[in-house]
Amino acid sequence: MGSKVLLYGVCGEEDRIQVSPYWIFRNEIKLIGSFAQTHCFERALTYLDEGVVRVKGLVTHRFKLEEYSLALAQLGDGKNLKIMIHPTD
């Protein structure tokens, strides 16, 4: 109960979903929509390269894919970590 459902992505304007209003209010569901900006990646990379967007501290720890269980253990310690799992490191 009390869940959030995030609908994220790109779809056609004519696309539709069917959902029960009763299910939404009975289970206290919050429906949240988010639009994927498909034409902004190049500009975002430029902002990162030029330092317009500051990302220092955004990731506090990096782990290899093989270290996934170690990363989960670190998260379980309750520290304020921002972990990145990188498959090719």
Side-chain angles (χ1 to χ4, degrees):
M1 286 229 188
S3 298
K4 295 178 185 177
V5 177
L6 173 65
L7 302 171
Y8 176 81
V10 179
C11 60
E13 189 174 340
E14 68 285 349
D15 293 336
R16 299 287 182 264
I17 63 170
Q18 186 175 355
V19 72
S20 164
Y22 180 81
W23 175 78
I24 292 172
F25 72 76
R26 174 69 175 101
N27 294 293
E28 299 178 1
I29 303 296
K30 293 181 181 178
L31 294 176
I32 304 165
S34 182
F35 180 71
Q37 297 291 330
T38 58
H39 307 290
C40 298
F41 294 113
E42 200 170 311
R43 183 175 51 206
L45 291 174
T46 300
Y47 288 168
L48 289 170
D49 286 342
E50 295 175 354
V52 174
V53 177
R54 294 185 203 118
V55 293
K56 185 177 180 181
L58 188 61
V59 175
T60 60
H61 294 73
R62 288 175 66 115
F63 292 90
K64 297 176 183 178
L65 188 56
E66 307 85 58
E67 300 173 318
Y68 184 74
S69 60
L70 178 60
L72 288 180
Q74 291 283 323
L75 282 174
D77 288 343
K79 299 174 184 169
N80 188 17
L81 304 179
K82 299 169 193 118
I83 290 178
M84 174 184 190
I85 307 291
H86 201 285
T88 59
D89 276 354

